[in-house]
Amino acid sequence: PTPRPVEAAPPAETVPPAEPWTVQLAAAQDRAEAERTAAKFAALNPRIEQAQIPGKGRFWRVRVGAFETRQDAERYLRDVARETGAKGFVTPTR
C-alpha cells in the first residue's frame, strides 16, 4: 500500500487567540471621552482600542478583560454591572 501524505500543521497566524472574548464598556468618537470613561473604570484596568466602523468613522472602544469563553466574559460583566453600574456588553476580541 502507498503511504498517506502527512498533513502539515496550520500556520501559527491562523490559530485563534487564546482568549477570544472581552467586555466593552463604552465606545466614543472622541478619544478624550473614551479616556474619561477609562479613567472612571481605572480599577478594572481598561484599555482603549481604535476601530474604524464602515459608514460611521473612527471610534474608540473602552474594553476590559480577556476571557476564554463567552460565559466567563458574561459572568465578569454581571459582576462589574452589579458593582459599578456599567452597562457594557460581551464581544469577540478582534
Side-chain angles (χ1 to χ4, degrees):
T2 332
R4 291 178 38 183
V6 177
E7 291 183 27
E13 63 270 8
T14 64
V15 177
E19 298 174 322
W21 297 96
T22 190
V23 172
Q24 184 166 314
L25 297 176
Q29 286 188 288
D30 178 42
R31 174 148 183 132
E33 183 179 338
E35 288 174 359
R36 283 191 295 275
T37 301
K40 179 180 173 183
F41 296 104
L44 303 176
N45 298 313
R47 63 190 179 279
I48 297 174
E49 298 175 358
Q50 182 178 326
Q52 192 67 34
I53 310 298
K56 294 187 177 184
R58 182 175 53 195
F59 280 80
W60 304 95
R61 296 171 172 163
V62 181
R63 293 181 164 183
V64 294
F67 305 91
E68 288 186 25
T69 68
R70 182 178 192 101
Q71 293 77 17
D72 289 343
E74 288 171 348
R75 186 177 315 111
Y76 180 82
L77 176 57
R78 282 192 301 273
D79 291 344
V80 167
R82 184 181 65 246
E83 293 174 15
T84 69
K87 296 186 180 352
F89 62 92
V90 172
T91 185
T93 303
R94 284 185 230 148

